[in-house]
Amino acid sequence: MSVGERSIGEYLISSRSMAEYRAMFALGDADLTGRVLDCPGGGASFTASAHQLGVDAMAVDPVYRRTAAKIAEHVREEVARGAQWATDHADDYRWEFYGNPDGHHRMRRESAEKFGADIVANPRRYRAGALPRLPFADGTFDLVLSSHLLFTYADRLDYNFHRAALRELARVAKGEVRVFPLVNQAGDPVDELLPPLLVELESWGLQPRVGKVDYQFQRGADAMLVFNGGTGP
């Protein structure tokens, strides 16, 4: 199938849980310290859960320009859209992590509710902003996480956008940057993007590496890109 035949349409505002973040970014307890950025944060409950662990986490996303109440409502609607898409295309996914489509929907729904409560109670944890230009100073975060935007939407985000976005993620990080997954919406490798971007990251002195993770929901999506923070040359 082509990307067009496997495109969810408008960017999905997903509500992934802390358990999913730990799995897809291979996060151990030692990684969850200091200041952490989730970019784009969408409707994920990662920031709320991280604060419960004593982590100074923040999320950034263009959707946060809306009021907290409207964001929470929209995120709940997006959970239903995402669940319907996954169920309709069940063969494109591996369900072991969730048990079945109902388990997936339940985890995302619970995560959305947690996110919605937290953005209302703690709006300062959520900043409006979008790649490739973020509203943070150089080296603000010890760890930067970015999921399901870069490479996923390779049908609409070109090489120059990816290059600028990766450089911006590196700029705001003083520790590592981790990006997941490394396939497009159709589950295809992004060979036109990833290899030359690795060369660019290496030329900036950011020591990029690709590593497998013990998580695969979308078939073929079982690796993340890791590189060091820094402004480069």
Side-chain angles (χ1 to χ4, degrees), residues 2-4 6-14 16 24-25 39-40 85 93 131 146-158 161-162 165-166 179-194 197 215 217-225:
S2 70
V3 175
R6 280 291 181 268
S7 174
I8 199 168
E10 292 295 320
Y11 293 104
L12 182 67
I13 310 300
S14 296
R16 293 181 174 84
M24 65 190 182
F25 289 116
C39 174
W85 171 266
Y93 297 93
L131 290 168
S146 183
S147 84
H148 295 87
L149 175 67
L150 300 176
F151 306 115
T152 296
Y153 292 100
D155 61 321
R156 63 198 75 173
L157 301 174
D158 64 11
F161 179 91
H162 279 75
L166 292 175
V179 180
F180 179 91
L182 305 182
V183 297
N184 64 24
Q185 290 183 75
D188 299 323
V190 283
D191 294 336
E192 76 283 7
L193 291 175
L194 185 58
L197 286 169
Y215 172 83
F217 178 43
Q218 180 188 18
R219 292 188 183 278
D222 61 351
M224 68 174 171
L225 168 64

Side-chain angles (χ1 to χ4, degrees), residues 85-167:
W85 171 266
T87 300
D88 290 346
H89 302 85
D91 290 345
D92 293 342
Y93 297 93
R94 297 182 58 176
W95 297 94
E96 295 91 340
F97 186 87
Y98 306 95
N100 53 44
D102 287 341
H104 169 261
H105 189 192
R106 181 171 58 253
M107 182 179 288
R108 295 288 174 87
R109 187 172 61 246
E110 292 171 353
S111 182
E113 292 300 325
K114 187 170 187 174
F115 162 83
D118 195 57
I119 196 171
V120 170
N122 301 287
R124 292 184 180 180
R125 297 174 181 174
Y126 302 88
R127 289 281 300 275
L131 290 168
R133 185 177 294 275
L134 299 176
F136 306 110
D138 295 357
T140 298
F141 299 97
D142 298 290
L143 175 65
V144 174
L145 306 174
S146 183
S147 84
H148 295 87
L149 175 67
L150 300 176
F151 306 115
T152 296
Y153 292 100
D155 61 321
R156 63 198 75 173
L157 301 174
D158 64 11
Y159 181 86
N160 287 334
F161 179 91
H162 279 75
R163 182 182 187 276
L166 292 175
R167 190 154 197 167

Side-chain angles (χ1 to χ4, degrees), residues 12-16 41-44 63-64 66 68-82 108-109 111-113 115-116 119:
L12 182 67
I13 310 300
S14 296
S15 296
R16 293 181 174 84
V63 76
Y64 302 156
R66 306 179 186 184
K70 287 186 176 180
I71 295 167
E73 179 182 1
H74 182 57
V75 162
R76 287 192 292 270
E77 295 169 351
E78 288 287 85
V79 167
R81 182 164 75 101
R108 295 288 174 87
R109 187 172 61 246
S111 182
E113 292 300 325
F115 162 83
I119 196 171

